[in-house]
Amino acid sequence: MKILVTGGTGYIGSHTVVELQNKGFEVVIVDNLSNSKKEVVDSIEKITGTKPVLEVFDLVDREKTADFFKRHNDIKGVIHFAAYKAVGESVQKPLMYYRNNLVSLMNVMESMIENNIDNLVFSSSCTVYGQPDELPVSENAPIKKAESPYGNTKQIAEEIIADTVNVEPIKTIALRYFNPIGAHDSALIGELPLGVPNNLVPFITQTAIGIREQLSVFGEDYNTPDGTAIRDYIHVVDLAKAHVIAVNRMIEGNMKKDFEVFNLGTGNGYSVLEVIKSFEKVSGQKLNYKIVDRRPGDIEKVWANPDFSNRELGWKAERGLDEMTLSAWKWEKALRNNQTES
Ligand code: NAD
Ligand code: WQD
């Protein structure tokens, strides 16, 4: 059974391709390599024994997208990861974000409809909740005004999907990811941040390996037990596995309505200092960090209520924080070894 994975050479996409292939799906990737490398398909082949087909083009290009779907009209489902995701950059370049994230989604959906492909899994984000009034946050919590153009693209995308499934045969599962971290156990695939990382864990591992001098911890005056902000970190492999379950749910006709939304989190919140402590424990390294002011736009605390996903999808995140930070550290070391060899 053939599945299209857009953004399949990216961080979450590549881990999902591995899990799909492990379950016997045939995968075709479309990616414009704006934030990933084509060699990722070789690493996927090393892990699974199968090299996924990769077509390199921009999904913002309507004609190329339509042409691709005409050639692959035997696709049974689409997992749409392709998007830009840097929150700060989206504030500086809003139109670039709206165009890329929304036009690509509309092109993909139009082509799916033209070719009678009904099953779509969409990458959404916990960012749609903003700072929730109640914790843990469940799927029916109100959507707060977006803090950034990036966050707004996820909110608008969910609205585009909701309006479309009302009138077209297309069905969609939107998965709202909390904070994905870590890498595949093989250390052959992982996150490839370009330039200075914005996210906590890549910044920690790059500091420990000597690329960055010091980690800045953004704020210690939050209303949390140790004063640092709390997030629901989830292992990327746990996240990837949920996509396979979502695809099966659609294909087997088990959806309860045409647009379903699920939280993908562990249900556990960890503070920035707890993540640092976990990293220091598993790596045996002391991390150089200092406390600085809060980062503008950051929320204080968020973690998921994963009950609905656990019950309806029969999925549960299995890997704990130490496993997440250890796999991120192994990936960082593998990345640097490869760079010195080549
Ligand atoms: P990523 O940047 O590693 O992967 C996205 C991939 O999409 C990249 O390989 C990029 O080259 C490709 N791409 C971007 N625009 C494209 C276009 N117009 N045409 C073709 N390919 C294009 O990001 P990721 O972390 O794997 O995120 C995947 C999805 O999950 C995104 O939609 C992101 O918004 C969402 N998400 C990510 C996080 C996170 O923290 N990583 C959290 C919540 C949601
Ligand atoms: C985590 C915590 C920081 C870096 C982002 C997006 C969100 C979603 C997931 C896509 C925060 C602190 C960080 C650093 C720090 N992505 N931190 N020093 O901001 O929770 O979420 O990724 O949808 O939309 O906003 O993740 O990893 O940047 O930060 O102290 O150098 O670590 O303040 O408390 P965030 P993050």
Side-chain angles (χ1 to χ4, degrees), residues 18-160:
V18 166
E19 297 305 322
L20 284 166
Q21 291 187 336
N22 282 344
K23 293 285 181 205
F25 287 97
E26 180 190 344
V27 176
V28 182
I29 297 173
V30 170
D31 202 297
N32 65 357
L33 304 178
S34 57
N35 197 34
S36 57
K37 296 209 158 64
K38 67 176 187 321
E39 289 74 19
V40 168
V41 293
D42 303 324
S43 304
I44 293 174
E45 184 182 17
K46 278 193 197 138
I47 299 170
T48 64
T50 309
K51 192 182 208 154
V53 171
L54 166 64
E55 292 212 15
V56 178
F57 67 88
D58 190 338
L59 289 159
V60 169
D61 187 322
R62 196 174 177 183
E63 277 172 26
K64 283 192 182 143
T65 305
D67 171 69
F68 167 87
F69 273 91
K70 254 185 229 129
R71 288 185 286 109
H72 292 274
N73 61 7
D74 54 340
I75 285 170
K76 291 285 172 280
V78 178
I79 309 183
H80 184 53
F81 289 106
Y84 293 151
K85 63 164 179 178
V87 175
E89 186 185 51
S90 80
V91 175
Q92 298 307 318
K93 299 175 179 168
L95 292 176
M96 188 174 112
Y97 270 68
Y98 286 114
R99 177 182 296 278
N100 192 57
N101 293 5
L102 298 177
V103 175
S104 65
L105 171 68
M106 293 188 285
N107 286 346
V108 166
M109 290 185 85
E110 276 178 347
S111 284
M112 287 177 68
I113 293 162
E114 271 159 32
N115 293 282
N116 303 312
I117 301 166
D118 293 345
N119 302 314
L120 174 66
V121 177
F122 176 71
S123 298
S124 191
S125 169
C126 69
T127 190
V128 300
Y129 298 120
Q131 175 61 65
D133 300 325
E134 280 175 35
L135 287 168
V137 62
S138 40
E139 289 83 352
N140 50 18
I143 301 295
K144 295 276 179 71
K145 186 177 162 24
E147 300 267 1
S148 68
Y150 166 76
N152 208 19
T153 68
K154 294 297 176 192
Q155 295 188 1
I156 298 170
E158 288 197 11
E159 288 175 358
I160 291 173

Side-chain angles (χ1 to χ4, degrees), residues 85 87 124-127 150 154 178-180 197-201 203 215-218 229-231 233 272 295 298-299:
K85 63 164 179 178
V87 175
S124 191
S125 169
C126 69
T127 190
Y150 166 76
K154 294 297 176 192
F178 281 67
N179 285 54
N198 294 307
N199 295 115
L200 177 62
V201 171
F203 209 109
L215 170 78
S216 296
V217 173
F218 298 134
I230 294 179
R231 299 288 183 273
Y233 297 92
V272 176
R295 181 171 67 178
D298 269 353
I299 58 166

